[in-house]
């Protein structure tokens, strides 16, 4: 699957992600990692869930807002193999728990803070992604 080269849109998206992460940490005092936000919400503790709920609602309404502003829906590519998709989701969740964070927490916040743990975790995410793409394209996919 080929994708378009979109440096301006990618730069704008990166700046928005960085700004949102800084704003979240400055205003809430917590890292804007999706895994941590979801795990705090799933703990069913009412104390301090408002910012997490607002963050997740923002993620969910971003695509419809994009559609309203641009007039076109964002392209989404998803595998049609539902069991494989579910397995991947479970493995990502498991990895987030074992790695004490997710790609958004380690990769966006941890790397910018030069956290050694986040540097190692992000390296492992990337290596696992490279291996997965190689196996799916060259071993399984033919």
């Amino acid at each position: 699957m080929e994708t378009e080269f979109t440096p301006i849109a990618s730069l704008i998206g990166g700046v928005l992600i960085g700004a949102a992460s800084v704003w979240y940490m400055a205003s809430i005092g917590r890292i804007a990692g999706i895994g941590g936000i979801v795990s705090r919400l799933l703990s069913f503790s009412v104390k301090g869930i408002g910012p997490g709920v607002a963050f997740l609602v923002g993620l969910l309404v971003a695509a419809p807002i994009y559609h309203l502003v641009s007039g076109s829906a964002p392209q989404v590519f998803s595998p049609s193999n539902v069991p494989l998709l579910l397995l991947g989701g479970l493995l990502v969740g498991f990895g987030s728990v074992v790695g004490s964070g997710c790609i958004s927490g380690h990769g966006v916040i941890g790397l910018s803070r030069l956290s050694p743990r986040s540097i190692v975790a992000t390296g492992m995410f990337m290596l696992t992604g490279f291996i997965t793409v190689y196996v799916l394209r060259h071993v399984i996919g033919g």
Side-chain angles (χ1 to χ4, degrees):
M1 169 178 46
E2 293 294 320
T3 58
E4 292 180 41
F5 179 63
T6 57
I8 302 299
S10 300
L11 178 64
I12 292 169
V15 168
L16 289 172
I17 290 170
S21 299
V22 169
W23 172 79
Y24 195 80
M25 180 171 270
S27 63
I28 307 299
R30 301 205 66 111
I31 291 175
I34 304 304
I37 291 170
V38 170
S39 69
R40 283 190 296 279
L41 290 176
L42 292 177
S43 71
F44 300 109
S45 171
V46 177
K47 181 182 176 191
I49 66 167
V53 169
F55 194 91
L56 292 177
V57 167
L59 289 176
L60 294 173
V61 301
I65 290 173
Y66 175 87
H67 181 66
L68 287 172
V69 171
S70 72
S72 64
Q75 293 182 343
V76 178
F77 300 100
S78 180
S80 58
N81 186 335
V82 175
L84 189 60
L85 187 63
L86 292 173
L87 176 63
L90 289 172
L91 288 173
V92 167
F94 176 75
S96 293
V97 171
V98 171
S100 299
C102 57
I103 294 171
S104 57
H106 283 300
V108 175
I109 306 296
L111 287 182
S112 65
R113 295 172 59 215
L114 299 177
S115 163
R117 187 176 78 165
S118 292
I119 292 169
V120 171
T122 303
M124 291 304 297
F125 297 151
M126 297 301 293
L127 179 62
T128 303
F130 297 152
I131 292 169
T132 301
V133 168
Y134 180 83
V135 168
L136 289 175
R137 287 191 178 175
H138 301 289
V139 177
I140 295 175

